[in-house]
Amino acid sequence: MIYVDKNKKEDTIGFNVVSDLHMDFYFDWKNPYDYINDFKNNIQNKCDYLIVAGDIANNNKLSYIFLESMNYFYKKVFVIDGNHEYYGDWGKIDRYEGLKDITKKLKNIVFLDENDVIDVEGIKIAGRMMMYNIEDRLKDYQFFKTISNDSRFIPEWMVKKKHKEEIEDYNRLIDDVDIFISHIPLIPQKNSNYIPEEYRDISLYYNSGVKIKANKIYINGHVHHRQFNTIPLYKNNEYIGESYNINVATGYPYENKSNKPHIESIYIKKGEN
């Protein structure tokens, strides 16, 4: 079994977890390091490891400043891409690859899409963006083309390719991990005012194409509505266990009353089944 708590307990491994920082909306462009100081000062319980579940900024310069600072602040920083890692810079589809390239010398930055399962003091983690599906239902495709900003920056072929590849990766990796990190939620996010009611089953808000496994921790963002709950799971109407759903999105300033980055601390322990 795996246990997770917001409070530090004996024999636990701690992670600070963030997503959807959208840091370019929060500071004076002349001094982005003010944001970095806000970030560090807003950590209530500093852990050894940081998980970044996508959407750092719309600009690689800003994302680099953040990752460079975190590189010297944590033992390891585990990063996945969000949809906004492809925004900005005039919609260059290689922008995320460019971010990985300019951070190569930062030895404590780990991009999870370049790895399979990583062991962190006995806790096994993996992650992918988990791009949504726009092929199976017309309303998902129409939403992508006519309402979502993603279609301005992420080519249709790339959405389809990432979705297929990341579903395959998830199915290959999930049985071997304790924590799976995605940007797009794999579990519908409950009670979220962020999503208009008529769009709550749209695939752009959660990736419904995977099977949720018991005794896992699912960390996500994308939907700007923080959640920390357990999901009971059943097979043939028989209870088989539960998993954790943790959404850590900061969101935009108008959604975030504190006007500060949100940093969640989680403490994990593995026990006997």
Side-chain angles (χ1 to χ4, degrees):
M1 295 290 292
I2 190 160
Y3 306 93
V4 60
D5 202 295
K6 290 186 177 184
N7 300 308
K8 188 173 183 178
K9 303 283 179 67
E10 188 177 356
D11 298 326
T12 58
I13 307 300
F15 295 83
N16 291 136
V17 190
V18 299
S19 184
D20 296 81
L21 294 173
H22 297 292
M23 59 183 286
D24 32 334
F25 288 84
Y26 281 90
F27 60 81
D28 182 339
W29 276 68
K30 294 180 180 178
N31 192 359
Y33 291 98
D34 285 348
Y35 179 90
I36 301 299
N37 290 332
D38 275 350
F39 183 96
K40 292 178 178 179
N41 292 335
N42 216 43
I43 301 171
Q44 294 185 0
N45 297 292
K46 168 73 163 52
C47 298
D48 288 336
Y49 304 102
L50 176 66
I51 292 171
V52 183
D55 283 7
I56 300 171
N58 288 2
N59 179 288
N60 274 357
K61 180 179 179 181
L62 303 181
S63 297
Y64 179 83
I65 289 171
F66 176 78
L67 292 177
E68 181 188 38
S69 299
M70 297 304 109
N71 179 69
Y72 300 109
F73 196 58
Y74 287 95
K75 281 186 178 180
K76 290 292 180 185
V77 180
F78 303 103
V79 183
I80 60 167
D81 51 328
N83 51 316
H84 281 259
E85 266 62 62
Y86 302 92
Y87 278 35
D89 291 347
W90 302 104
K92 295 177 181 176
I93 62 171
D94 59 350
R95 198 196 123 206
Y96 179 56
E97 293 302 316
L99 177 62
K100 290 193 282 189
D101 188 59
I102 62 177
T103 55
K104 279 182 179 178
K105 293 182 179 179
L106 304 179
K107 300 304 181 184
N108 293 325
I109 305 300
V110 179
F111 289 94
L112 292 178
D113 63 306
E114 294 186 337
N115 294 271
D116 285 342
V117 178
I118 296 176
D119 190 304
V120 183
E121 299 186 41
I123 304 296
K124 294 182 179 180
I125 71 171
R128 298 292 188 270
M129 177 185 171
M130 297 308 294
M131 179 62 82
Y132 44 75
N133 183 4
I134 61 171
E135 290 196 84
D136 290 351
R137 301 189 309 177
L138 179 60
K139 64 180 179 179
D140 294 325
Y141 180 75
Q142 289 175 332
F143 186 93
F144 171 74
K145 294 297 285 187
T146 62
I147 298 176
S148 172
N149 284 327
D150 285 8
S151 60
R152 297 171 53 203
F153 300 102
I154 310 176
E156 184 179 321
W157 66 263
M158 185 177 177
V159 172
K160 294 176 180 178
K161 182 174 184 289
K162 276 181 69 67
H163 173 74
K164 180 177 183 297
E165 291 176 348
E166 290 172 348
I167 291 286
E168 291 173 353
D169 283 351
Y170 173 89
N171 290 333
R172 178 170 55 84
L173 299 172
I174 190 60
D175 288 337
D176 297 324
V177 304
D178 303 303
I179 305 175
F180 192 86
I181 302 141
S182 64
H183 181 65
I184 310 295
L186 304 183
I187 298 168
Q189 304 296 285
K190 295 182 179 179
N191 303 320
S192 175
N193 293 328
Y194 173 79
I195 306 175
E197 187 171 353
E198 64 268 31
Y199 298 136
R200 287 188 182 172
D201 71 335
I202 290 292
S203 74
L204 276 72
Y205 292 125
Y206 84 98
N207 188 331
S208 60
V210 301
K211 183 177 181 180
I212 301 303
K213 297 294 186 80
N215 198 33
K216 307 292 181 186
I217 299 168
Y218 289 90
I219 293 173
N220 57 73
H222 190 56
V223 176
H224 298 168
H225 184 82
R226 293 191 285 274
Q227 311 201 17
F228 192 112
N229 49 44
T230 55
I231 308 297
L233 298 169
Y234 299 86
K235 184 176 182 180
N236 298 325
N237 295 321
E238 193 171 312
Y239 176 77
I240 58 171
E242 62 185 23
S243 281
Y244 295 90
N245 170 51
I246 303 174
N247 181 313
V248 293
T250 291
Y252 300 117
Y254 71 87
E255 301 166 318
N256 179 18
K257 293 181 180 179
S258 73
N259 209 36
K260 300 285 185 182
H262 175 78
I263 304 100
E264 192 73 73
S265 301
I266 62 171
Y267 297 91
I268 299 168
K269 182 177 181 178
K270 293 179 75 170
E272 298 296 326
N273 289 331

